[in-house]
Amino acid sequence: MASKAERLIALEGITKVFTTDEVETHALEGVHLTIDKGEWISVIGPSGSGKSTLLAILGLLDTPSGGSYTLRGRPAAGLSAAEMSRLRNQEIGFIFQTFNLIGDLSVYENVELPLVYRKVPPAERREKVMKALDRVGVAHRARHLPGQLSGGQQQRVAVARAVVGDPAILLADEPTGNLDSKNGQAVMQLLHELHEGGATIAMVTHDVAFARHATRTISLFDGRIVEESHAPGAAA
Amino acid sequence: MHDFLQDVRFALRMLRKAPAFTIAALVVLALGIGATSAIFSVVNAVVLRPLPYPDSDRIVVIHQDFRTAGLDEMAFGIPEYHDFRDQNRSLEAVAAYQLRDKNLASVDPPERLLVATVSPAFFPVLKIEAAPGRVFTPDEAKAGNDRVVLLSHALWQRRFGGDTSIVGRSVALSGEPYTVVGVLPRGFVLPQKVDVWVPLAPTELESSEERRNWRNYDLLARLKTGVSVEQAQEDLTALRRRMNEEHEGAAPGTSQLLVKVRTLKDFTVGETQTTLVFLLGAVAFVLLIACANVANLLLARAAVRQREIAVRAALGAGSGRIAVQFLVESAVLAVLGGALGLLLALWGVDALVAIDPDRLPRAEEIHLDGVVVAFTLGVSLVTGLVFGVIPAIHASRVDPADVLKEGSRGTAGGRMGRFRNALVVAQIALALMLLAGAGLMTRSLTAMARMPLGFEPEGVLTAKLAITNPRYKEDKAKAAFARDLLARVRNLPGVAGAGITTNLPISVRYSQSFRIEGKTPAEHERWPYAVHREITPGYLEAMRVPLIEGRMLSDQDHEDAPRAVVVNQALVKTYFPEGSAVGRRIRPPCGDDEKTCPFRTIVGVVGDVREVSSEETIAPTFYASYAQGPWHNLNIVIRTSQDPLSLVAALRSEIRALDREQPIYDVLPMQARVEQRLGPRRFALEVLSVFAITALILAAVGLYGVTSYMVTQRTREFGIRLALGAEARDILGMVLKRSLVLAGIGIGVGLAASLALSRVMASVIYGVSERDPLTLAIACPVLAAAAMLASFFPARRATRVPPAIALRSE
């Protein structure tokens, strides 16, 4: 009998409604989803299906209109803005399609940022940052500004920044969307290695080929989960 | 031309399209240009515009300069006037004049008039004619022919209803009939708010050498064509030196006399010129801040319009063409701001004049005219160029390929970001300088107000009388009037004491040389000089001037008693350093005959009282008994435990009961006179304070604008930071820290500039160092607090954007 995996995230009946100019848009409707430690799930679906909204809610960047969200057994509802910031900082690592590196900060400083907010002592920060940069293979560009790097290198830096704080889960929003196929493959390889190392990953993607890297794939359509599939060999 | 008009039309359309930007820019420009135009209106009317007389730059005022006696504006005796009139080589005409009080009693109620006694050359010097009527003839400057009078236009209107048949009619001045020969033009009040002019017809005694040193007349002259003020100064100085040699020993200190020649305009404007030029400099700072502010707004707007610019460039517009379009937009904005500023200046000029109309020279000439309108237009266009040139250059350098490729994202950082920051730093620095200036002025006024006066002005009512009716011609009649008036006033309810003086402190003062019995200084030594006042018993007590030694003047010092004086401590310190002055005797320079010019015995020493203004050192002063040398000018001083003004009606009633034809004028609490002396500085302070507050607001608005823009530009970055775990306070702190750094640099630059320009401040402050650390210590945090407040709201806005929205921000 397989040992029961640790439940990391549980979404129950999540809805998200955007209201603009008296027009209601239902981005998510009754989404039920659980993510266990060590899982890699891919969320796929056409544009406007609610993928990014789901990821924003998972990342505590947005709050649902209804339903419940539990992270490591702790309900997200009722958390103050400061508590959410702390949870984001400690439990979640983000990888964005457009990298979202801060242009005025060096590669090193970008990666260091989550640790700065966590008030990690400088010496420890340095060690962790260099380790993270080493892990993604851009340590030699530590002093460069993001604008001096290629897209692939920038996304590697973004991955380093996401993992430097050793979060419970990595949320990747179209991590290959702005990259050519070669760099896209390289980033996927990097995520694969991280997953092999024990990381939990939730990834939004358009590309079914990249989605196959995941252990579980969820298809969204019009804000609802319409299909859920497990990779061969993965526990259902 | 067509392109230009098209650019203007487009500029107007763009301004309409962005009402918030347009309103903000126009308000800032209107404030800057309006304040500048208002101050320029005053400077133009007071300093720049020639006096309203033909060839007015040739009209000069001449005084004697007796610096060794501390007097730099001494008048002339009639013989001296004749010498200067007849022997000079630089003057076309010379007139003498004296101001006196007379009462117009032939109409009810009686009115005190300021009378100028002028020699017939007075009006030819000014090239002024009367209408209706005529000015004085040389014949009327002879005793017996001199009962003629010229009316001011205002008096003619006020008391005679503008009746042209007034010419040839008789009016009574202080009980004596004068024939009106003419009315002078509207607004003509020379030498100083004069109501009527009478001819100077010196008596034989006045013209005699005996009266050479009875100096009661000022001189007004017209320079010969082609002669400069400096040449006249040289000519008259040489003449004065010759006269000094000729009359050596005739009077104390005669050989030390010099002459001071100034244009009438310089004399009229006086120290106000310094204040106005100072304020013009200060308002230039406000205008610069406004320019920096609008330049910043335009830069932000140019960044937003990059896509539009890129499209224009892609369609073939050259960088010069794009720059011109932006400059036209700036010019349109500036001209609109200038028009609004002109409206603001209309109100501002009235407000400026209203601060102190009595002490502002040529106040009646201050108004907006063609010169001011042209100045405003010029300032507006220059302003438009100043704030428009950098955004225009910036716009002309946009790379269309880059912008069109990336979409409509604005550029946040780089050179323009640094330039915007520099503009904010400049605004803060300029605002600090104005704040520090206003602070120094405040401290200076406070220091002046707190300076001990030597008397207690609170609870004292003062009023002036000129007993010029022939019935008071004799000294005994004057003394009797003063005695009777005081007796009546002292019996009024609420009156604690009363007295009379010929001159109040903190007003004009009269100085006199004197000799000390037993001491005869050599001619080259400085002769004793002192301010003198004639006072009745009770005056010093009513003013609460303390008695230091001896006794006060009393009823025992009547007209027939031995002459007695009371002196102040400064006189004792200066002229009797060896010990007590009580019992010593002094004598005015009226001769050596004890009968006609008796010694005066010092019977007491009183505390020092400040004269004229509190900035001057205390002058040696003696107080003589009014009964022993009465004048027609009286200042009654009444101490009361109630509101001084509550006694006015009763005082008027008592004077009417004593002499129904006797007017009183200039009725004021003494405290009000003390406050009036701060007038010119209060004017500068009030104007500078308005500038400083405007500058503070503009600098804060500038910082707000830059911070707001920065927050908008960096919203995505804040989203990233929030996603990475930053808390709201981290973002708030980051934005505030950046503003604080800008404010800190601005304050540092402003501080250095304030210290560098401290010499300028030294000319307008008193009693406080121009580098006063307390003032700077207050100004800096005030500005820092304003900067923080201005940054707080955009900073808070930055923390309120949900991270998910912020991350989607472009």
Side-chain angles (χ1 to χ4, degrees):
Chain A
M1 187 180 160
S3 62
K4 196 180 175 186
E6 183 188 340
R7 175 65 38 89
L8 203 60
I9 284 171
L11 302 181
E12 286 183 20
I14 291 292
T15 61
K16 181 67 184 178
V17 181
F18 295 108
T19 306
T20 50
D21 296 333
E22 297 178 357
V23 176
E24 282 192 351
T25 306
H26 292 256
L28 293 175
E29 287 195 62
V31 172
H32 295 271
L33 176 68
T34 57
I35 303 173
D36 293 339
K37 188 171 167 48
E39 256 195 306
W40 179 350
I41 69 161
S42 287
V43 181
I44 59 169
S47 290
S49 60
K51 304 186 300 289
S52 293
T53 304
L54 177 62
L55 207 69
I57 288 171
L58 284 173
L60 295 170
L61 293 173
D62 209 346
T63 50
S65 308
S68 72
Y69 171 21
T70 312
L71 177 62
R72 287 202 178 195
R74 188 176 176 190
L79 287 174
S80 69
E83 285 170 324
M84 282 207 271
S85 292
R86 219 160 323 168
L87 275 178
R88 269 199 302 270
N89 181 257
Q90 291 170 355
E91 307 288 8
I92 300 165
F94 289 97
I95 302 164
F96 301 98
Q97 178 181 356
T98 51
F99 324 136
N100 276 340
L101 298 175
I102 296 172
D104 293 332
L105 300 182
S106 68
V107 163
Y108 179 91
E109 287 165 335
N110 264 287
V111 177
E112 186 189 30
L113 213 48
L115 304 179
V116 172
Y117 291 132
R118 202 184 289 183
K119 297 184 171 57
V120 174
E124 191 183 337
R125 280 205 308 253
R126 178 165 181 76
E127 189 189 326
K128 284 179 184 274
V129 170
M130 291 315 294
K131 195 174 159 190
L133 287 173
D134 259 342
R135 198 168 168 187
V136 300
V138 287
H140 62 293
R141 309 301 296 266
R143 289 186 179 176
H144 289 80
L145 290 172
Q148 297 170 304
L149 272 56
S150 70
Q153 286 173 321
Q154 287 190 47
Q155 195 60 302
R156 284 169 177 272
V157 175
V159 171
R161 185 178 65 184
V163 300
V164 72
D166 199 16
I169 184 167
L170 289 175
L171 301 179
D173 188 359
E174 303 271 12
T176 60
N178 270 20
L179 302 175
D180 58 28
S181 59
K182 189 180 162 196
N183 277 310
Q185 287 292 355
V187 167
M188 289 310 296
Q189 181 59 35
L190 196 55
L191 290 178
H192 192 77
E193 286 166 18
L194 290 168
H195 181 240
E196 290 289 299
T200 309
I201 299 172
M203 177 181 77
V204 164
T205 180
H206 268 104
D207 195 322
V208 178
F210 288 139
R212 287 195 190 110
H213 285 270
T215 53
R216 186 158 52 117
T217 300
I218 290 158
S219 297
L220 274 180
F221 188 79
D222 280 352
R224 295 171 191 275
I225 295 175
V226 291
E227 191 182 343
E228 188 172 344
S229 60
H230 293 265
Chain B
M1 189 63 189
H2 178 262
D3 284 354
F4 174 74
L5 289 175
Q6 198 176 24
D7 282 346
V8 170
R9 273 196 296 274
F10 183 74
L12 289 170
R13 204 181 312 149
M14 291 306 286
L15 293 179
R16 270 201 307 274
K17 200 177 147 194
F21 160 81
T22 306
I23 290 170
L26 288 182
V27 166
V28 169
L29 284 173
L31 278 173
I33 296 174
T36 308
S37 293
I39 287 290
F40 178 77
S41 295
V42 179
V43 172
N44 178 48
V46 178
V47 182
L48 302 179
R49 198 186 295 156
L51 293 174
Y53 313 114
D55 300 324
S56 63
D57 55 333
R58 287 169 54 201
I59 306 171
V60 293
V61 174
I62 307 164
H63 284 100
Q64 308 217 64
D65 189 341
F66 195 3
R67 277 184 209 158
T68 49
L71 302 171
D72 62 351
E73 279 189 13
M74 199 162 75
F76 295 81
I78 290 292
E80 289 177 322
Y81 158 52
H82 289 159
D83 287 350
F84 278 101
R85 183 190 63 188
D86 301 335
Q87 296 175 34
N88 81 80
R89 289 184 297 185
S90 53
L91 307 174
E92 190 175 283
V94 185
Y97 67 89
Q98 181 193 29
L99 292 173
R100 310 174 69 171
D101 290 308
K102 281 190 185 291
N103 299 322
L104 183 64
S106 58
V107 287
D108 195 48
E111 182 179 348
R112 165 263 180 185
L113 301 179
L114 188 57
V115 180
T117 305
V118 301
S119 65
F122 186 79
F123 299 107
V125 162
L126 294 163
K127 295 196 174 169
I128 286 283
E129 292 292 339
R134 58 164 177 83
V135 295
F136 302 134
T137 62
D139 218 31
E140 285 163 343
K142 291 175 185 163
N145 296 345
D146 59 337
R147 289 302 173 90
V148 288
V149 63
L150 282 159
L151 306 181
S152 72
H153 191 275
L155 182 72
W156 178 48
Q157 292 291 329
R158 188 171 72 243
R159 300 306 295 254
F160 303 103
D163 182 1
T164 49
S165 69
I166 189 71
V167 176
R169 273 166 49 190
S170 177
V171 296
L173 296 180
S174 294
E176 293 178 300
Y178 283 76
T179 303
V180 178
V181 296
V183 178
L184 290 169
R186 182 195 296 273
F188 181 80
V189 290
L190 275 183
Q192 183 188 310
K193 295 187 177 170
V194 171
D195 299 301
V196 296
W197 291 256
V198 297
L200 167 61
T203 60
E204 266 187 39
L205 177 64
E206 258 189 315
S207 302
S208 68
E209 280 303 313
E210 189 184 324
R211 291 291 175 94
R212 173 167 283 276
N213 300 312
W214 289 52
R215 298 183 170 103
N216 294 317
Y217 296 92
D218 293 316
L219 300 190
L220 189 73
R222 180 172 280 273
L223 299 175
K224 283 181 179 167
T225 309
V227 172
S228 67
V229 173
E230 292 72 25
Q231 287 168 322
Q233 172 77 54
E234 210 172 298
D235 173 41
L236 300 182
T237 302
L239 180 54
R240 177 70 258 182
R241 289 204 168 114
R242 280 204 307 277
M243 287 159 63
N244 289 348
E245 286 168 17
E246 282 173 27
H247 302 282
E248 190 174 3
T254 298
S255 65
Q256 298 152 6
L257 282 172
L258 293 170
V259 175
K260 186 157 82 178
V261 183
R262 278 172 292 174
T263 62
L264 178 60
K265 197 171 93 176
D266 284 347
F267 176 70
T268 306
V269 176
E271 287 179 8
T272 309
Q273 183 164 338
T274 311
T275 304
L276 290 178
V277 171
F278 170 77
L279 289 177
L280 196 61
V283 83
F285 282 18
V286 178
L287 188 62
L288 278 174
I289 293 173
C291 284
N293 225 314
V294 178
N296 242 337
L297 285 171
L298 283 174
L299 277 172
R301 200 161 151 67
V304 171
R305 289 172 59 188
Q306 276 192 100
R307 193 170 179 77
E308 173 214 321
I309 299 163
V311 170
R312 283 174 182 275
L315 295 176
S319 57
R321 184 71 192 80
I322 290 171
V324 166
Q325 184 204 319
F326 269 74
L327 277 178
V328 169
E329 287 184 37
S330 302
V332 167
L333 197 61
V335 169
L336 291 175
L340 282 176
L342 206 56
L343 291 177
L344 201 64
L346 266 173
W347 171 83
V349 165
D350 289 344
L352 281 171
V353 173
I355 292 175
D356 199 355
D358 291 335
R359 286 173 186 261
L360 191 60
R362 308 179 72 186
E364 65 285 351
E365 297 176 48
I366 299 170
H367 53 82
L368 290 187
D369 59 8
V371 174
V372 176
V373 173
F375 172 83
T376 306
L377 185 64
V379 164
S380 303
L381 291 174
V382 171
T383 301
L385 194 67
V386 168
F387 69 66
V389 70
I390 298 295
I393 292 171
H394 172 58
S396 69
R397 287 183 179 171
V398 165
D399 179 356
D402 191 38
V403 172
L404 291 173
K405 188 174 64 190
E406 285 190 21
S408 58
R409 282 170 60 183
T411 52
R415 209 170 49 230
M416 281 304 117
R418 283 194 292 279
F419 188 74
R420 275 196 292 273
N421 291 344
L423 286 175
V424 169
V425 166
Q427 288 181 64
I428 290 171
L430 289 167
L432 180 79
M433 291 165 76
L434 286 174
L435 263 185
L440 282 173
M441 295 285 287
T442 306
R443 293 258 297 142
S444 174
L445 273 186
T446 308
M448 286 169 74
R450 283 185 183 162
M451 185 157 285
L453 297 166
F455 64 94
E456 293 178 23
E458 301 87 2
V460 171
L461 180 69
T462 64
K464 297 186 175 183
L465 301 93
I467 46 171
T468 51
N469 193 290
R471 79 174 69 103
Y472 303 116
K473 195 173 180 184
E474 298 300 323
D475 284 356
K476 278 185 189 295
K478 291 190 193 85
F481 177 87
R483 197 165 45 241
D484 294 348
L485 177 58
L486 284 177
R488 283 172 172 273
V489 168
R490 283 172 183 149
N491 279 333
L492 289 173
V495 171
I500 283 172
T501 176
T502 45
N503 292 102
L504 289 166
I506 312 180
S507 65
V508 292
R509 63 180 181 183
Y510 294 99
S511 297
Q512 189 173 57
S513 62
F514 62 90
R515 300 173 187 196
I516 301 168
E517 189 180 30
K519 285 186 178 178
T520 308
E523 176 62 18
H524 65 274
E525 285 180 345
R526 177 177 169 167
W527 275 75
Y529 243 86
V531 172
H532 74 93
R533 291 204 153 80
E534 279 63 40
I535 61 168
T536 64
Y539 164 74
L540 291 168
E541 293 87 339
M543 293 290 270
R544 294 200 174 146
V545 179
L547 178 68
I548 308 298
E549 189 184 352
R551 67 169 175 87
M552 294 288 201
L553 293 174
S554 69
D555 288 338
Q556 73 185 77
D557 303 307
H558 53 77
E559 49 268 50
D560 300 322
R563 298 293 188 257
V565 292
V566 165
V567 300
N568 71 350
Q569 288 173 294
L571 189 141
V572 176
K573 195 175 168 189
T574 309
Y575 299 122
F576 299 98
E578 65 277 11
S580 172
V582 175
R584 303 290 295 273
R585 301 205 302 170
I586 61 174
R587 173 187 265 172
C590 47
D592 296 328
D593 185 350
E594 184 60 24
K595 272 190 184 169
T596 57
C597 188
F599 272 110
R600 300 170 177 196
T601 304
I602 298 171
V603 298
V605 178
V606 294
D608 291 330
V609 168
R610 289 202 175 271
E611 298 287 342
V612 186
S613 77
S614 50
E615 293 145 72
E616 298 189 8
T617 52
I618 291 173
T621 304
F622 67 78
Y623 300 91
S625 166
Y626 181 81
Q628 296 175 349
W631 285 17
H632 61 270
N633 282 332
L634 304 183
N635 293 271
I636 186 157
V637 169
I638 306 168
R639 178 162 290 283
T640 175
S641 52
Q642 57 203 43
D643 175 10
L645 288 175
S646 67
L647 289 173
V648 174
L651 174 64
R652 286 186 189 278
S653 170
E654 291 302 330
I655 290 172
R656 208 174 301 122
L658 202 57
D659 179 349
R660 59 179 295 279
E661 291 188 344
Q662 180 60 54
I664 63 169
Y665 64 98
D666 205 8
V667 183
L668 270 182
M670 190 64 211
Q671 183 61 37
R673 293 186 194 281
V674 169
E675 284 164 13
Q676 275 179 358
R677 86 193 194 281
L678 302 175
R681 284 194 171 76
R682 195 178 292 285
F683 174 81
L685 169 67
E686 288 184 18
V687 177
L688 194 61
S689 298
V690 171
F691 290 169
I693 291 166
T694 307
L696 188 66
I697 292 169
L698 287 180
V701 167
L703 189 59
Y704 173 87
V706 165
T707 309
S708 263
Y709 181 75
M710 182 273 285
V711 163
T712 306
Q713 291 293 309
R714 292 176 66 182
T715 301
R716 190 184 180 89
E717 179 197 324
F718 297 147
I720 297 168
R721 288 177 182 271
L722 287 167
L724 297 177
E727 292 181 27
R729 64 179 182 201
D730 295 318
I731 303 296
L732 189 76
M734 194 171 79
V735 177
L736 289 180
K737 186 178 162 191
R738 181 184 171 280
S739 297
L740 197 60
V741 167
L742 285 182
I745 297 170
I747 287 170
V749 173
L751 211 52
S754 295
L755 293 174
L757 290 177
S758 57
R759 273 191 188 173
V760 178
M761 280 309 295
S763 63
V764 289
I765 59 170
Y766 168 78
V768 59
S769 161
E770 63 270 23
R771 297 181 172 200
D772 179 47
L774 181 64
T775 303
L776 295 172
I778 292 171
C780 293
V782 165
L783 199 56
M788 283 299 94
L789 194 66
S791 307
F792 176 75
F793 295 101
R796 195 178 58 173
R797 199 180 71 226
T799 67
R800 289 186 170 178
V801 182
I805 303 288
L807 282 168
R808 284 200 291 270
S809 165
E810 288 291 344

